[in-house]
Structure formats: C-alpha cells, structure tokens
Amino acid sequence: MFDDAHIIDLLPAYLNQRLGANDRARVEAHLRDCPACRAELDAWRAIASATRQLASVAAPAPDLLGAIHAVLDRDEAMQPGLDQIDVRSFRYLWQLLRGQAPLVRRGIWLASGLTTALGVLVAIATLHQSIGSFTLALIAPVVAAFGMAFIYGPENDPSLEIAMSTPTSPRLVLLSRLTLVFGYDLLLALIASLLLSMVHGFTLWALIELWFAPMLFLSALALAASLVFSPLVAMVGALILWGLRLVQMSSTMRNDPAPSTDVAQVFGLPALNPYLLALGLALLVFAIAYVPRQERFSLNETTMGQ
C-alpha cells in the first residue's frame, strides 16, 4: 500500500504542488504518521528557500551589464598618462627623501658644515694660492667620506630594523640617504670652491676638477667598507689612504711652491682624474648591490642569537 511505504520520491513534486488531488491526499496522510518523511520534507523546504534566496541575489538587474561597461570605460579614461606617472614617481621619491632625512645622524650635517666652513676660512685667510686650494682639496673628500661611512647599518640607525620591515627596499633606503648626504657635501664643496675662486682667482671648474674625483672615490670607498666591515674601519681606512695622498700633494707643493692658477698642475694631478671616477662609481655599484646581502647576514645572525 502507498500509505505504508515511504514517500520520499514524491516530496519534491508535493512541495512544488505538482501532484494530483488523490496523490496529494495520500502524501499528507502519510506525513502525519511518518516523522522520517516529515524531516525529509523540511530538508527539501530548506533547500527550496535557499535556492530562491540565491536566485534573488544573483539575478542581475536589467541594466547591470550597461552599468559594468560604464564603470570600465570610466576607469580606462582615468588611467594615468606618462606625465601623471612621472609626477607620482617624483612625489614618491620626494617623500622617501623627506622620510630618510631625519634618520641620518644629525652629527653628520653639523660636522660636515663646520669642517667645510673652517676649511674655507683657512683657505681664504692664506695669501698663498696653492695652500688655499690645497686646503679645499684636502677637506672636501674627507668630509664626504666621513658622512658616507655613517649613513647606513645597524650601528648608525637603531630604527633600521623597523625601516626594513616596510615595503621600501634596502637599496632605495641606501640610495636616498646617499643622495642626501653626498648631495649635501657636494653643495658645501661647490660653495667653498666658488668663494675660493673669487678670492684667489682660480677658475671654478679648475677647483672642482681638483676635489670632485677624490671626493667621489673616497666617499664610495668609505661607504663600501662600512657595509662590509664597520663604520670605524671605513673611516680609519679612508683617513690612512688620504693621508698617503696628502704626503704626495705636500711633496709636490714643496717642489713647486710658486703660486699658480692651474690647480691641477700645482699638485701634479690630471684634470678630473678618470681612474678615480671609474673606481668610485664601481665602489658605489658594489655598495648598492651588497646591501640586500648584508641584510640577509644580519637576519641570520639575529636568528642564531635567538
């Protein structure tokens, strides 16, 4: 008999009101006495309700595709051009420089400014043209080397570990600090050269030729050595190397103490020494490439210490 058997197969049709009157009456009579079939009917009702809700949510509005196309067209029209990309890149670099400036040790700015100012006063006060230019040629590279030796590394920046946890790459951090410090020292040296050229009659370019290549080389050497070894080793090594150069320059001055407006000739130097320029650029490239490697070494040391 139908009434004595389970009616599970008829429940979907019953729920959708597709049964005839006799079958519907028999299903209802069976449901009154069968808890299992009532539970099955409740499950089908839940499925039907969920299906209707999903259909109402997923059903697109008549103008949905038109609205989507309108948004896509608007976004495409708002895509930045090359000029807007350049502006954004410039803003990002400017913000990066501004953010890194407070992290550079304040003593670097103060020491560089005071040392250069003192050197300019000594150079201007002397009546000997060669001695004046010699003072500038001596001070500018050493000032830059001092600053570059202390711009990067855990010893120089206690917050460097926090900075490294940001999306900014170590190379960008180093490049921004390098730009700030070397640019600052370069500006000081240019101002000093301008003042000295006005007092002693040297041409400005002749003075720049005297110190620019050694300044680039010595500062790049100090930076690379500070990354590989330590800032102290970098500074001592730069001073020793520049001390040897000082002896050579002093010997040249003793042999030809007469004033001269040809600064390179006074010290026996080629104009804008290409070898020092090439070596300085090579050391800068090495330092920039070495920074991520240094970070991995620091991380390994920290992990081993824990």
Side-chain angles (χ1 to χ4, degrees):
M1 295 290 295
F2 180 79
D3 293 336
D4 296 332
H6 287 294
I7 54 171
I8 293 177
D9 294 339
L10 296 176
L11 291 179
Y14 171 77
L15 186 62
N16 293 323
Q17 299 181 356
R18 293 182 179 178
L19 292 178
N22 294 333
D23 290 338
R24 183 176 182 83
R26 291 175 182 177
V27 169
E28 291 176 349
H30 178 85
L31 289 173
R32 285 195 295 269
D33 299 327
C34 183
C37 287
R38 287 199 302 270
E40 187 70 17
L41 179 62
D42 291 338
W44 278 109
R45 283 173 176 166
I47 293 174
S49 176
T51 303
R52 286 193 297 269
Q53 292 178 3
L54 181 61
S56 64
V57 172
D63 59 343
L64 178 60
L65 291 179
I68 292 175
H69 286 300
V71 172
L72 292 176
D73 293 339
R74 182 191 63 191
D75 292 342
E76 183 177 357
M78 295 178 61
Q79 287 295 324
L82 292 178
D83 53 343
Q84 292 175 309
I85 294 176
D86 290 340
V87 170
R88 290 181 181 180
S89 300
F90 177 78
R91 288 177 179 174
Y92 172 74
L93 293 176
W94 174 246
Q95 291 173 356
L96 182 61
L97 290 175
R98 289 184 58 186
Q100 291 298 319
L103 300 180
V104 178
R105 287 191 173 187
R106 296 181 180 179
I108 293 178
W109 313 111
L110 183 60
S112 298
L114 291 178
T115 304
T116 303
L118 180 62
V120 170
L121 291 177
V122 172
I124 292 177
T126 180
L127 298 178
H128 200 292
Q129 291 178 320
S130 298
I131 294 178
S133 57
F134 174 81
T135 303
L136 179 60
L138 170 65
I139 290 178
V142 173
V143 168
F146 171 81
M148 298 291 278
F150 293 93
I151 65 171
Y152 191 88
E155 304 94 333
N156 304 317
D157 185 1
S159 63
L160 185 62
E161 184 177 350
I162 298 177
M164 289 301 99
S165 64
T166 65
T168 306
S169 69
R171 287 195 179 102
L172 278 179
V173 172
L174 176 63
L175 281 172
S176 59
R177 296 184 183 185
L178 187 155
T179 301
L180 288 168
V181 175
F182 188 81
Y184 174 70
D185 293 331
L186 181 62
L187 179 62
L188 291 177
L190 288 174
I191 294 175
S193 299
L194 179 61
L195 294 175
L196 194 58
S197 66
M198 295 171 60
V199 172
H200 286 311
F202 290 119
T203 61
L204 179 61
W205 180 246
L207 284 171
I208 294 174
E209 285 181 327
L210 182 62
W211 53 258
F212 182 76
M215 178 179 179
L216 177 63
F217 165 73
L218 205 64
S219 58
L221 176 65
L223 175 61
S226 69
L227 297 177
V228 177
F229 302 106
S230 69
L232 181 60
V233 171
M235 198 64 237
V236 171
L239 288 176
I240 292 175
L241 186 61
W242 197 238
L244 297 176
R245 184 58 176 156
L246 172 62
V247 173
Q248 179 186 0
M249 295 168 70
S250 300
S251 176
T252 304
M253 285 187 61
R254 286 195 298 268
N255 294 334
D256 186 14
S260 173
T261 57
D262 189 348
V263 185
Q265 182 180 356
V266 170
F267 299 112
L269 299 174
L272 206 62
N273 193 318
Y275 302 106
L276 286 182
L277 282 176
L279 195 54
L281 291 175
L283 287 170
L284 283 180
V285 171
F286 166 78
I288 294 170
Y290 183 81
V291 168
R293 182 180 179 88
Q294 183 203 41
E295 295 302 325
R296 288 197 295 270
F297 287 161
S298 300
L299 180 60
N300 291 336
E301 292 174 358
T302 303
T303 305
M304 292 177 61
Q306 293 177 350

